[in-house]
């Protein structure tokens, strides 16, 4: 049986029930899923994604003192009174290890909620590209790459990351079927960067990220350095996974 | 003032009111808009797009005998009792000249209806690429390239054609702004074909069309020859335009 790879260019382009039985990878490259991966790689015990700022504050206030960090952004910037923003580089081992991260971003959280009926919901970015591909190859069933987008609009950076996952998964799994048109579109975008991990490849990835909606927003916010951090590939060998009950993200596995 | 180029990968990704004040180009490359262009280039006086088969039959029955042709498809095939299907090559001068074409296809008609609030609604395909670009360059305001898709899903062939229009319009108009992420995605797809109109370019266009959702459907229907006809570029120098009252498509202009 073949394993369809479905790239969903924005969450609104699929119905939640379409993902049942499949494995979803939620991608919000700039920056929510990159930051979640960094936080867990730095030793956070779990990440609790919240849709609303007030909900995040309430959850944090109910936790034992010193056990949680409040992180996230609105309009790209740190939320007043929060410990940390949404820059992956902020989540150092020193600040993060052993803590629960209560985390709120707009688009990434919405994408997670919409993907929650999949059999497994993984967290992907360039930072853990190879680890995600390896886990997908060991799994069965259709693969759904869910691009978070921005306020319902397509963002090029998420499509590029989906294209990278689709490309390597297609090579890793004999039964992968990348014929879906949106998947082909993402594969063409990724192919425009070349497949050799050389300096020219990195430059082309950075050029696409810098021109994307998410990249332009970060540049406007003075956060251009975050683009370079989120572009770093295979920095970590973990795959975070959303558990639905309790609603939290933990490390599903380390790469072998 | 800059002129944004917005590629809408499927009609569901924009609200009808978003197009007000702009110029829309509706694209259903395989095959509705290619066929409409062929019919008008062969001398049809106008094309009346209908959403429903019964509506098309009713309109045809009210017209003077011999003045109309009934054309269109369901599931890719000619509709029982209709004069013609949806293959552009069927619309010869001999059969078509001087007639009104009552035409029904599913996705193309839906896209036209959704685009109807634009200031102008043009019909585009590879068959009239240069003529569309020239008209857009003489116009003002945002450009909306509306990909018809199939049943709400993205089809690669429409995105490729949108990418071609966006590329050449961007070169033709000093004030064009192709920074929209979906537009960049379409431009990357088109760029993968190369820009030299040589044999390799044609082969790459045909390869993309043959692998696209619309292309695979045509191959399954035994209509592979239609793909080659729809891939022929700049075959005609006309731009069809939808008038809203009466609801019909006529030739807006011939290329200078």
């Amino acid at each position: 049986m073949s394993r369809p790879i479905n790239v969903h260019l924005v969450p609104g382009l699929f119905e939640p029930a379409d993902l049942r039985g499949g494995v979803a990878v939620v991608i919000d490259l700039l920056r929510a899923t990159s930051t979640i991966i960094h936080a867990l790689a730095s030793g956070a015990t779990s990440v609790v994604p919240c849709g609303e700022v007030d909900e995040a504050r309430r959850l944090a206030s109910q936790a034992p003192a010193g056990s949680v960090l409040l992180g996230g952004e609105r309009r790209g910037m740190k939320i007043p009174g929060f410990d940390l923003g949404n820059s992956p580089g902020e989540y150092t081992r020193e600040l993060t290890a052993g803590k629960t991260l209560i985390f709120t971003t707009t688009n990434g959280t919405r994408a997670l909620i919409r993907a929650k009926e999949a059999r497994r919901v993984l967290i992907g970015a360039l930072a853990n590209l190879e680890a995600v591909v390896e886990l997908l190859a060991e799994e069965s069933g259709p693969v759904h790459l869910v691009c978070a987008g921005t306020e319902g609009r397509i963002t090029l950076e998420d499509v590029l990351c989906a294209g990278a996952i689709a490309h390597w998964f297609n090579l890793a799994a004999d039964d992968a079927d990348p014929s879906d048109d949106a998947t082909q579109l993402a594969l063409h975008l990724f192919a425009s960067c070349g497949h050799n991990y050389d300096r020219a490849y990195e430059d082309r990835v950075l050029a696409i990220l810098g021109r994307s909606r998410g990249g332009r927003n970060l540049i406007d916010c003075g956060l251009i350095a975050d683009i370079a951090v989120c572009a770093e590939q295979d920095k970590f060998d973990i795959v975070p996974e959303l558990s639905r009950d309790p609603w939290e993200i933990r490390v599903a596995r380390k790469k072998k």
Side-chain angles (χ1 to χ4, degrees), chain A:
Chain A
M1 236 186 42
S2 79
R3 297 185 62 194
I5 314 173
N6 300 303
V7 171
H8 303 287
L9 298 173
V10 283
L13 282 173
F14 66 89
E15 292 302 319
D18 297 344
L19 271 52
R20 282 183 200 150
V23 181
V25 182
V26 172
I27 301 160
D28 186 357
L29 184 71
L30 296 176
R31 301 165 285 169
T33 59
S34 297
T35 299
I36 290 168
I37 294 161
H38 275 74
L40 290 167
S42 289
T45 49
S46 70
V47 177
V48 181
C50 297
E52 303 296 332
V53 172
D54 286 348
E55 184 197 356
R57 285 211 176 94
R58 188 177 50 76
L59 285 175
S61 70
Q62 294 167 347
S67 67
V68 302
L69 279 175
L70 258 176
E73 53 89 8
R74 282 300 178 273
R75 297 174 179 274
M77 305 307 285
K78 200 178 97 165
I79 298 160
F82 272 43
D83 300 304
L84 295 165
N86 189 21
S87 292
E90 293 178 86
Y91 290 80
T92 58
R93 184 159 288 277
E94 198 176 11
L95 289 174
T96 315
K99 302 281 178 72
T100 295
L101 172 62
I102 316 275
F103 190 62
T104 179
T105 70
T106 39
N107 302 297
T109 306
R110 270 184 220 154
L112 283 166
I113 290 170
R114 198 154 172 98
K116 73 177 163 35
E117 296 196 28
R119 184 160 49 78
R120 298 187 73 173
V121 181
L122 311 176
I123 306 299
L126 292 175
N128 69 345
L129 173 62
E130 195 177 327
V132 165
V133 168
E134 216 169 81
L135 197 158
L136 289 175
E138 290 166 13
E139 265 288 342
S140 61
V143 168
H144 297 276
L145 306 179
V146 177
C147 300
T150 293
E151 290 160 20
R153 307 194 65 173
I154 287 162
T155 51
L156 210 58
E157 70 271 15
D158 295 335
V159 182
L160 179 67
C161 185
I165 296 173
H167 172 81
W168 293 109
F169 172 70
N170 189 36
L171 291 182
D174 288 341
D175 52 356
D177 172 7
S179 63
D180 173 72
D181 285 43
T183 304
Q184 290 189 57
L185 198 51
L187 285 169
H188 274 284
L189 178 65
F190 176 65
S192 76
C193 298
H195 301 149
N196 296 322
Y197 285 1
D198 54 10
R199 178 65 190 268
Y201 168 83
E202 287 173 8
D203 287 348
R204 285 188 287 255
V205 168
L206 282 172
I208 287 177
L209 298 187
R211 282 197 305 263
S212 70
R213 192 181 305 277
R216 297 192 307 267
N217 285 347
L218 287 174
I219 292 167
D220 290 346
C221 291
L223 295 166
I224 195 169
D226 283 7
I227 299 176
V229 174
C230 294
E232 281 181 67
Q233 209 158 293
D234 298 321
K235 200 169 171 182
F236 304 114
D237 57 5
I238 58 165
V239 180
E241 179 167 9
L242 177 71
S243 87
R244 271 54 62 99
D245 186 20
W247 181 262
E248 63 180 17
I249 297 165
R250 286 179 176 270
V251 174
R253 56 109 74 165
K254 287 200 153 241
K255 220 184 99 193
K256 281 180 215 155

